[in-house]
């Protein structure tokens, strides 16, 4: 077996740095009379969603951000949810509002997201915020937390983005599209690939920076990566693993061990982009409280 | 001199087709009691802006769309303009609102655009509309007229977009970004280039569909184009021409004659994308009146 050549970009460590910065600023804000506050809303009891929300509330406590959590039954009507969002929108203690997705099928997700005031949309999913993402010099926007975390990792790892060829695998509203816009705003030449892309390997091999967000376990193989590329793996996929007590393990969209022999740097899964996502949520909440 | 190989994509003819369709539907709507209406707003007396507005009003008349024009002095305050926009926003006869850009320097353009109700934003520049552009299956949005015109030309010319590599030169809010989003929504693999792109020719040569919107006269030379590519030239640049009475002529972002020997199809300037832009404005206004 060849030795690994890639630097492992440690998202946990980078996230710890960011949390420490947020905490310090949150304390300074609180000393000035404004305690930053984040409202979280969860419908139903999906275990994955519950686990995400728990991590977010925990991060609030650690970073000195006031947490207002609203757990509601899965049967909650769209009207009730919209009323709650409106109440939170008018609550001066609440600087950020996060409605945990996905929502139950009887609720129009886009209606709920659009009901969040853009200035409190710390998840960055409001179309008015998404629409500003690609614009240099446009009004400050909240970038969605995972894409913002990708950029934060690149910056903190000292990777130059400007002038580089960046290829993004995936065009979702949550990751692929916004991360493309952020890379573009940072002066990369950006290519967006997806399920309809022909000869996808020939496209990904052009990338100096490759962002995988396609949601397929180990889809990106070593031959799809240009030697020396920086690879950011946003995928979180469960694969069966009988050797684990819970019967599965988490893997990214990249064949990590093989790609690490080709890339110059790569984020692991777990422990790469994941920890940065929650840290960016805290940072966005702090920004929302500061702007006010 | 070699013979031209490229098919010339005649924007004038395609626009005529579209105008005829809009007119027919506008008459049908009017027969049902709703006459589509477009409000245009022009500050000052810039000759280019006046000429654009004149063409738009003329198109309204021809396509049976009611035209409400508001010409105001260049000194109009931002508050006055915002008041007018609010009035038009509440006027049930007005289905579309177009504020001619650029606005005088003392007015915050983004504030004015954001004040237009997204449902009347037939120019497609409201962030809430821009943000929905790249989303498949998202709420219907108005696409900005020039980018929408580019797609309309490709479709009417029978060019397959899905699965093709599209390269967009330029990342402006008005053309580059939205046309990239529309190409992506049509399942192209999209690369966005700009002034900071390294070795731009190597990128443009990957394009099956090349959209030039960089605003530099004859920037795209034949060696930058893959043989057989479809080239859409959005540029409109003045170059000195002593042989013309007015002392200049209009050229696109492509070296037309040379590129036409390499491409399989190309839009001329003038007479390509330009005529489609106003036709798309009429189509958007019709849609706004229909949705209501």
């Amino acid at each position: 077996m060849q030795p690994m050549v890639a630097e492992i970009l440690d998202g946990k460590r980078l996230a710890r740095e960011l949390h420490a910065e947020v905490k310090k600023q949150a304390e300074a804000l609180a000393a000035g009379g404004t305690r930053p506050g984040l409202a979280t809303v969860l419908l139903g009891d999906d275990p994955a969603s519950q686990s995400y929300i728990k991590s977010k509330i925990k991060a609030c406590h650690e970073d000195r951000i006031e947490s207002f959590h609203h757990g509601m039954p899965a049967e909650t009507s769209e009207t009730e949810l919209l009323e709650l969002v409106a109440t939170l929108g008018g609550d001066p203690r609440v600087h950020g509002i996060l409605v945990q997705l996905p929502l139950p099928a009887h609720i129009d997700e886009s209606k709920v997201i659009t009901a969040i005031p853009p200035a409190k949309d710390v998840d960055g999913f409001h179309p008015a915020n998404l629409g500003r993402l690609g614009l240099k010099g446009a009004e400050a926007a909240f970038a969605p937390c995972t894409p913002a975390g990708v950029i934060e990792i690149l910056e903190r790892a000292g990777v130059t983005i400007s002038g580089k060829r960046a290829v993004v695998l995936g065009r979702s509203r949550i990751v692929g599209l916004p991360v493309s816009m952020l890379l573009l705003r940072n002066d990369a030449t950006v290519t967006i690939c997806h399920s309809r892309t022909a000869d996808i390997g020939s496209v990904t091999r052009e990338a100096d920076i490759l962002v995988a967000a396609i949601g397929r376990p180990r889809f990106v193989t070593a031959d799809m990566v240009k030697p020396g590329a920086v690879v950011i793996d946003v995928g979180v996929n469960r694969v069966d693993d009988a050797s684990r007590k819970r019967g599965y393990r988490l893997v990214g969209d990249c064949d990590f061990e093989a790609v690490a022999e080709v890339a110059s740097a790569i984020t692991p899964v777990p422990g790469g982009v994941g920890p940065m996502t929650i840290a960016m949520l805290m940072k966005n909440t702090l920004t929302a409280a500061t702007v006010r």
Side-chain angles (χ1 to χ4, degrees), chain A:
Chain A
M1 193 177 149
Q2 285 181 276
M4 270 200 195
V5 299
E7 177 193 354
I8 308 301
L9 301 173
D10 182 351
K12 273 191 212 162
R13 184 178 60 76
L14 298 173
R16 266 198 307 273
E17 287 175 18
L18 182 50
H19 279 297
E21 292 165 23
V22 168
K23 181 182 169 186
K24 201 173 151 190
Q25 291 173 54
E27 284 169 343
L29 263 187
T34 305
R35 190 172 174 200
L38 174 67
T40 48
V41 180
L42 173 64
L43 263 64
D45 52 7
D46 174 70
S49 291
Q50 280 186 322
S51 154
Y52 289 138
I53 281 286
K54 219 175 119 183
S55 306
K56 289 165 186 175
I57 294 173
K58 184 163 163 264
C60 281
H61 292 323
E62 289 171 0
D63 291 359
R64 305 290 185 272
I65 287 174
E66 196 162 7
S67 165
F68 305 91
H69 180 62
H70 299 263
M72 302 170 88
E75 306 79 49
T76 302
S77 72
E78 188 178 281
T79 311
E80 282 174 277
L81 179 55
L82 288 171
E83 277 169 11
L84 172 61
V85 168
T87 304
L88 296 172
D91 187 337
R93 298 168 310 162
V94 171
H95 302 97
I97 300 172
L98 179 141
V99 179
Q100 183 67 43
L101 304 180
L103 288 168
H106 67 280
I107 292 179
D108 181 348
E109 224 165 74
S110 132
K111 216 168 175 176
V112 174
I113 290 167
T114 312
I116 298 172
K120 294 191 176 187
D121 170 41
V122 287
D123 233 1
F125 291 151
H126 193 292
N129 279 325
L130 281 180
R132 288 191 184 96
L133 269 193
L135 307 176
K136 290 197 85 164
E139 206 173 318
F142 295 111
C145 300
T146 299
V150 170
I151 302 296
E152 193 83 18
I153 288 178
L154 291 171
E155 284 175 351
R156 286 179 187 252
V159 176
T160 304
I161 302 174
S162 176
K164 296 294 177 63
R165 289 210 65 172
V167 174
V168 176
L169 265 175
R171 54 175 163 175
S172 71
R173 187 193 54 171
I174 311 273
V175 183
L177 271 188
V179 86
S180 302
M181 291 300 106
L182 291 177
L183 288 163
L184 189 63
R185 192 159 75 175
N186 282 281
D187 292 330
T189 300
V190 179
T191 300
I192 309 165
C193 297
H194 43 80
S195 55
R196 308 291 284 274
T197 294
D199 191 6
I200 207 159
S202 75
V203 183
T204 56
R205 272 190 300 276
E206 294 167 355
D208 301 310
I209 298 169
L210 178 61
V211 178
I214 202 165
R216 296 209 230 161
R218 290 188 292 247
F219 178 81
V220 177
T221 48
D223 61 304
M224 292 170 70
V225 176
K226 177 161 99 174
V230 174
V231 179
I232 307 289
D233 191 345
V234 186
V236 182
N237 311 286
R238 283 186 182 194
V239 293
D240 292 339
D241 186 345
S243 76
R244 304 282 173 110
K245 209 164 137 190
R246 55 186 181 185
Y248 68 85
R249 64 195 162 97
L250 298 178
V251 300
D253 287 352
C254 296
D255 182 358
F256 181 78
E257 288 75 16
V259 171
E261 290 178 14
V262 177
S264 67
I266 186 169
T267 58
V269 176
V273 174
M276 281 306 271
T277 295
I278 291 183
M280 291 311 297
L281 175 66
M282 299 299 114
K283 191 183 173 185
N284 277 350
T285 304
L286 184 76
T287 304
T290 310
V291 168
R292 283 256 288 254

